[in-house]
Short mmCIF file of all heavy atoms in Angstrom, two decimals:
data_model
loop_
_atom_site.label_atom_id
_atom_site.label_comp_id
_atom_site.label_asym_id
_atom_site.label_seq_id
_atom_site.Cartn_x
_atom_site.Cartn_y
_atom_site.Cartn_z
N ILE A 185 14.20 -4.43 10.79
CA ILE A 185 15.34 -5.02 11.48
C ILE A 185 16.53 -4.07 11.46
O ILE A 185 17.23 -3.95 12.55
CB ILE A 185 15.76 -6.33 10.76
CG1 ILE A 185 14.67 -7.42 10.92
CG2 ILE A 185 17.04 -6.87 11.21
CD1 ILE A 185 14.81 -8.58 10.06
N THR A 186 16.76 -3.40 10.37
CA THR A 186 17.82 -2.41 10.32
C THR A 186 17.69 -1.32 11.43
O THR A 186 18.67 -0.85 11.96
CB THR A 186 17.87 -1.75 8.93
OG1 THR A 186 18.17 -2.74 7.94
CG2 THR A 186 18.96 -0.64 8.85
N ASN A 187 16.46 -0.95 11.63
CA ASN A 187 16.19 0.10 12.70
C ASN A 187 15.94 -0.51 14.12
O ASN A 187 15.40 0.23 14.92
CB ASN A 187 15.04 0.90 12.18
CG ASN A 187 15.39 1.91 11.03
OD1 ASN A 187 15.99 2.98 11.32
ND2 ASN A 187 15.02 1.51 9.83
N GLY A 188 16.36 -1.67 14.38
CA GLY A 188 16.45 -2.24 15.67
C GLY A 188 15.23 -2.99 16.19
O GLY A 188 15.31 -3.37 17.44
N LEU A 189 14.28 -3.33 15.37
CA LEU A 189 13.15 -4.13 15.85
C LEU A 189 13.48 -5.67 15.76
O LEU A 189 14.11 -6.09 14.81
CB LEU A 189 11.91 -3.85 15.16
CG LEU A 189 11.33 -2.45 15.31
CD1 LEU A 189 10.30 -2.05 14.35
CD2 LEU A 189 10.73 -2.37 16.73
N PRO A 190 13.09 -6.45 16.79
CA PRO A 190 13.41 -7.80 16.85
C PRO A 190 12.60 -8.53 15.74
O PRO A 190 11.45 -8.40 15.49
CB PRO A 190 12.98 -8.25 18.24
CG PRO A 190 11.91 -7.28 18.59
CD PRO A 190 12.36 -5.95 17.97
N SER A 191 13.31 -9.52 15.08
CA SER A 191 12.75 -10.25 13.97
C SER A 191 11.58 -11.10 14.40
O SER A 191 10.70 -11.41 13.65
CB SER A 191 13.75 -11.02 13.25
OG SER A 191 14.33 -12.01 14.08
N CYS A 192 11.54 -11.51 15.69
CA CYS A 192 10.50 -12.34 16.17
C CYS A 192 9.10 -11.68 16.23
O CYS A 192 8.10 -12.34 16.31
CB CYS A 192 10.81 -12.90 17.63
SG CYS A 192 11.01 -11.54 18.80
N LYS A 193 9.20 -10.35 16.14
CA LYS A 193 7.78 -9.59 16.11
C LYS A 193 7.29 -9.38 14.77
O LYS A 193 6.20 -8.90 14.48
CB LYS A 193 8.01 -8.27 16.81
CG LYS A 193 8.16 -8.22 18.30
CD LYS A 193 8.37 -6.88 18.85
CE LYS A 193 7.29 -5.84 18.60
NZ LYS A 193 7.45 -4.63 19.35
N LEU A 194 8.11 -9.77 13.67
CA LEU A 194 7.86 -9.34 12.28
C LEU A 194 7.21 -10.57 11.54
O LEU A 194 7.71 -11.71 11.65
CB LEU A 194 9.00 -8.89 11.61
CG LEU A 194 9.85 -7.83 12.35
CD1 LEU A 194 11.19 -7.48 11.65
CD2 LEU A 194 9.04 -6.56 12.48
N ARG A 195 6.20 -10.33 10.69
CA ARG A 195 5.68 -11.35 9.82
C ARG A 195 5.48 -10.67 8.47
O ARG A 195 4.82 -9.63 8.34
CB ARG A 195 4.24 -11.82 10.37
CG ARG A 195 4.35 -12.47 11.74
CD ARG A 195 5.05 -13.82 11.68
NE ARG A 195 4.92 -14.43 12.95
CZ ARG A 195 5.74 -14.24 14.02
NH1 ARG A 195 6.63 -13.25 13.83
NH2 ARG A 195 5.56 -14.82 15.17
N VAL A 196 5.98 -11.39 7.42
CA VAL A 196 5.85 -10.88 6.06
C VAL A 196 4.61 -11.55 5.50
O VAL A 196 4.54 -12.76 5.34
CB VAL A 196 7.12 -11.18 5.17
CG1 VAL A 196 6.81 -10.78 3.78
CG2 VAL A 196 8.33 -10.59 5.75
N VAL A 197 3.54 -10.68 5.19
CA VAL A 197 2.30 -11.16 4.58
C VAL A 197 1.95 -10.21 3.49
O VAL A 197 1.22 -9.18 3.80
CB VAL A 197 1.18 -11.24 5.76
CG1 VAL A 197 -0.01 -12.00 5.18
CG2 VAL A 197 1.69 -11.88 6.97
N PRO A 198 2.24 -10.57 2.28
CA PRO A 198 1.85 -9.73 1.10
C PRO A 198 0.35 -9.67 0.88
O PRO A 198 -0.39 -10.61 1.34
CB PRO A 198 2.50 -10.38 -0.06
CG PRO A 198 3.56 -11.29 0.46
CD PRO A 198 3.10 -11.65 1.83
N PHE A 199 -0.23 -8.66 0.27
CA PHE A 199 -1.70 -8.48 0.12
C PHE A 199 -2.21 -9.46 -0.94
O PHE A 199 -1.52 -9.97 -1.76
CB PHE A 199 -1.91 -7.03 -0.34
CG PHE A 199 -1.51 -5.98 0.54
CD1 PHE A 199 -0.91 -4.80 0.13
CD2 PHE A 199 -1.80 -6.09 1.93
CE1 PHE A 199 -0.43 -3.82 0.90
CE2 PHE A 199 -1.26 -5.08 2.78
CZ PHE A 199 -0.59 -3.99 2.33
N GLY A 200 -3.52 -9.70 -0.84
CA GLY A 200 -4.17 -10.55 -1.74
C GLY A 200 -4.83 -9.70 -2.93
O GLY A 200 -4.43 -8.51 -3.09
N VAL A 201 -5.63 -10.26 -3.69
CA VAL A 201 -6.17 -9.63 -4.86
C VAL A 201 -7.68 -10.14 -5.13
O VAL A 201 -7.97 -11.21 -4.75
CB VAL A 201 -5.29 -9.95 -6.13
CG1 VAL A 201 -5.29 -11.43 -6.38
CG2 VAL A 201 -5.69 -9.14 -7.33
N ASN A 202 -8.39 -9.23 -5.72
CA ASN A 202 -9.79 -9.65 -6.04
C ASN A 202 -9.77 -10.26 -7.43
O ASN A 202 -9.77 -9.71 -8.51
CB ASN A 202 -10.69 -8.34 -6.11
CG ASN A 202 -12.11 -8.70 -6.32
OD1 ASN A 202 -12.49 -9.75 -6.76
ND2 ASN A 202 -13.02 -7.73 -6.01
N THR A 203 -9.76 -11.70 -7.42
CA THR A 203 -9.63 -12.46 -8.66
C THR A 203 -10.99 -12.42 -9.35
O THR A 203 -10.91 -12.97 -10.60
CB THR A 203 -9.21 -13.94 -8.25
OG1 THR A 203 -10.16 -14.39 -7.36
CG2 THR A 203 -7.84 -13.90 -7.72
N ALA A 204 -12.00 -11.97 -8.87
CA ALA A 204 -13.25 -11.84 -9.58
C ALA A 204 -13.12 -10.64 -10.56
O ALA A 204 -13.88 -10.61 -11.61
CB ALA A 204 -14.45 -11.61 -8.73
N ILE A 205 -12.27 -9.72 -10.31
CA ILE A 205 -12.12 -8.53 -11.16
C ILE A 205 -10.83 -8.63 -11.99
O ILE A 205 -10.91 -8.40 -13.23
CB ILE A 205 -12.02 -7.23 -10.34
CG1 ILE A 205 -13.37 -7.08 -9.58
CG2 ILE A 205 -11.72 -6.04 -11.23
CD1 ILE A 205 -13.33 -5.86 -8.63
N PHE A 206 -9.72 -9.09 -11.39
CA PHE A 206 -8.49 -9.09 -12.11
C PHE A 206 -8.22 -10.53 -12.61
O PHE A 206 -7.97 -11.40 -11.93
CB PHE A 206 -7.34 -8.66 -11.23
CG PHE A 206 -7.44 -7.18 -10.83
CD1 PHE A 206 -8.13 -6.84 -9.62
CD2 PHE A 206 -7.09 -6.16 -11.60
CE1 PHE A 206 -8.35 -5.48 -9.24
CE2 PHE A 206 -7.22 -4.83 -11.28
CZ PHE A 206 -7.80 -4.49 -10.14
N LYS A 207 -8.30 -10.62 -14.01
CA LYS A 207 -8.14 -11.90 -14.72
C LYS A 207 -7.04 -11.72 -15.72
O LYS A 207 -6.76 -10.64 -16.28
CB LYS A 207 -9.42 -12.33 -15.31
CG LYS A 207 -10.55 -12.48 -14.30
CD LYS A 207 -11.91 -12.88 -15.01
CE LYS A 207 -13.01 -13.05 -13.91
NZ LYS A 207 -12.70 -14.18 -13.00
N PRO A 208 -6.39 -12.85 -16.14
CA PRO A 208 -5.28 -12.86 -17.11
C PRO A 208 -5.73 -12.28 -18.52
O PRO A 208 -6.81 -12.54 -18.96
CB PRO A 208 -4.86 -14.26 -17.18
CG PRO A 208 -5.40 -14.94 -15.95
CD PRO A 208 -6.63 -14.30 -15.62
N ARG A 209 -4.83 -11.59 -19.10
CA ARG A 209 -4.99 -11.07 -20.43
C ARG A 209 -5.13 -12.17 -21.42
O ARG A 209 -4.58 -13.23 -21.25
CB ARG A 209 -3.90 -10.11 -20.79
CG ARG A 209 -2.55 -10.81 -20.89
CD ARG A 209 -1.42 -9.74 -21.13
NE ARG A 209 -0.15 -10.58 -21.20
CZ ARG A 209 1.10 -10.02 -21.26
NH1 ARG A 209 1.17 -8.74 -21.33
NH2 ARG A 209 2.15 -10.72 -21.40
N ALA A 210 -5.72 -11.97 -22.55
CA ALA A 210 -5.91 -12.92 -23.55
C ALA A 210 -4.72 -13.11 -24.47
O ALA A 210 -4.46 -14.18 -25.05
CB ALA A 210 -7.18 -12.69 -24.43
N ALA A 211 -3.91 -12.01 -24.67
CA ALA A 211 -2.82 -12.05 -25.64
C ALA A 211 -1.87 -10.89 -25.30
O ALA A 211 -2.20 -9.91 -24.58
CB ALA A 211 -3.33 -11.85 -27.11
N VAL A 212 -0.68 -11.00 -25.81
CA VAL A 212 0.41 -9.94 -25.60
C VAL A 212 0.20 -8.88 -26.62
O VAL A 212 -0.03 -9.18 -27.86
CB VAL A 212 1.73 -10.56 -25.78
CG1 VAL A 212 2.79 -9.42 -25.75
CG2 VAL A 212 2.03 -11.61 -24.78
N PRO A 213 0.01 -7.58 -26.34
CA PRO A 213 -0.17 -6.49 -27.28
C PRO A 213 0.95 -6.49 -28.32
O PRO A 213 2.07 -6.72 -27.89
CB PRO A 213 -0.30 -5.33 -26.42
CG PRO A 213 -0.57 -5.74 -25.02
CD PRO A 213 0.04 -7.15 -24.88
N ALA A 214 0.61 -6.15 -29.49
CA ALA A 214 1.68 -6.02 -30.54
C ALA A 214 2.42 -4.80 -30.35
O ALA A 214 3.70 -4.76 -30.55
CB ALA A 214 0.99 -5.98 -32.00
N ARG A 215 1.84 -3.69 -29.88
CA ARG A 215 2.63 -2.52 -29.53
C ARG A 215 3.04 -2.50 -28.13
O ARG A 215 2.32 -2.74 -27.28
CB ARG A 215 1.70 -1.29 -29.81
CG ARG A 215 2.31 0.02 -29.52
CD ARG A 215 1.32 1.24 -29.55
NE ARG A 215 1.95 2.43 -29.18
CZ ARG A 215 1.29 3.62 -28.99
NH1 ARG A 215 0.02 3.60 -29.05
NH2 ARG A 215 1.97 4.69 -28.73
N PRO A 216 4.37 -2.20 -27.87
CA PRO A 216 4.83 -2.13 -26.45
C PRO A 216 4.10 -1.08 -25.59
O PRO A 216 4.07 0.13 -26.06
CB PRO A 216 6.35 -1.80 -26.62
CG PRO A 216 6.72 -2.13 -28.01
CD PRO A 216 5.45 -1.87 -28.88
N ARG A 217 3.45 -1.48 -24.57
CA ARG A 217 2.69 -0.68 -23.75
C ARG A 217 2.96 -0.85 -22.34
O ARG A 217 2.64 -1.92 -21.84
CB ARG A 217 1.21 -0.76 -24.06
CG ARG A 217 0.25 0.29 -23.24
CD ARG A 217 -1.15 0.16 -23.64
NE ARG A 217 -1.41 0.60 -24.96
CZ ARG A 217 -1.93 -0.08 -26.01
NH1 ARG A 217 -2.14 -1.34 -25.84
NH2 ARG A 217 -2.12 0.44 -27.12
N PHE A 218 3.61 0.08 -21.61
CA PHE A 218 3.98 -0.10 -20.22
C PHE A 218 2.97 0.67 -19.46
O PHE A 218 2.41 1.75 -19.84
CB PHE A 218 5.35 0.38 -19.99
CG PHE A 218 6.43 -0.30 -20.77
CD1 PHE A 218 6.82 0.28 -21.96
CD2 PHE A 218 7.02 -1.46 -20.35
CE1 PHE A 218 7.89 -0.32 -22.73
CE2 PHE A 218 7.90 -2.03 -21.07
CZ PHE A 218 8.43 -1.53 -22.30
N ILE A 219 2.64 0.24 -18.22
CA ILE A 219 1.73 0.88 -17.32
C ILE A 219 2.35 0.91 -15.91
O ILE A 219 2.98 -0.01 -15.45
CB ILE A 219 0.39 0.25 -17.34
CG1 ILE A 219 -0.64 1.03 -16.47
CG2 ILE A 219 0.47 -1.20 -16.93
CD1 ILE A 219 -2.12 0.62 -16.68
N SER A 220 2.14 1.96 -15.26
CA SER A 220 2.47 2.12 -13.82
C SER A 220 1.29 2.85 -13.04
O SER A 220 0.77 3.84 -13.55
CB SER A 220 3.72 3.06 -13.62
OG SER A 220 4.22 3.02 -12.29
N VAL A 221 0.84 2.18 -11.94
CA VAL A 221 -0.32 2.69 -11.24
C VAL A 221 0.06 3.03 -9.82
O VAL A 221 0.76 2.26 -9.16
CB VAL A 221 -1.40 1.61 -11.27
CG1 VAL A 221 -2.65 2.11 -10.45
CG2 VAL A 221 -1.72 1.14 -12.69
N GLY A 222 -0.31 4.19 -9.42
CA GLY A 222 -0.05 4.67 -8.05
C GLY A 222 0.14 6.14 -7.95
O GLY A 222 0.39 6.76 -9.10
N THR A 223 0.13 6.75 -6.84
CA THR A 223 0.26 8.18 -6.75
C THR A 223 1.60 8.66 -7.34
O THR A 223 2.63 8.03 -7.05
CB THR A 223 0.34 8.57 -5.26
OG1 THR A 223 -0.90 8.13 -4.53
CG2 THR A 223 0.37 10.12 -5.07
N ILE A 224 1.48 9.65 -8.22
CA ILE A 224 2.69 10.00 -9.02
C ILE A 224 3.47 11.02 -8.20
O ILE A 224 3.06 12.10 -7.87
CB ILE A 224 2.26 10.60 -10.35
CG1 ILE A 224 1.46 9.52 -11.21
CG2 ILE A 224 3.35 11.18 -11.10
CD1 ILE A 224 0.75 10.07 -12.35
N CYS A 225 4.58 10.48 -7.71
CA CYS A 225 5.40 11.36 -6.77
C CYS A 225 6.87 10.89 -6.75
O CYS A 225 7.16 9.80 -7.38
CB CYS A 225 4.83 11.25 -5.39
SG CYS A 225 4.79 9.52 -4.65
N LEU A 226 7.70 11.62 -6.06
CA LEU A 226 9.07 11.30 -6.00
C LEU A 226 9.37 9.99 -5.27
O LEU A 226 10.23 9.26 -5.63
CB LEU A 226 9.91 12.45 -5.40
CG LEU A 226 9.81 13.76 -6.10
CD1 LEU A 226 10.57 14.92 -5.33
CD2 LEU A 226 10.30 13.63 -7.50
#
Side-chain angles (χ1 to χ4, degrees):
I185 293 172
T186 298
N187 285 283
L189 288 165
S191 58
C192 61
K193 288 176 62 170
L194 309 174
R195 298 292 184 276
V196 177
V197 191
F199 301 137
V201 63
N202 187 340
T203 54
I205 296 176
F206 295 95
K207 298 180 183 296
R209 64 186 181 184
V212 178
R215 178 190 180 189
R217 181 177 290 116
F218 302 95
I219 184 169
S220 187
V221 180
T223 304
I224 299 168
C225 62
L226 298 178

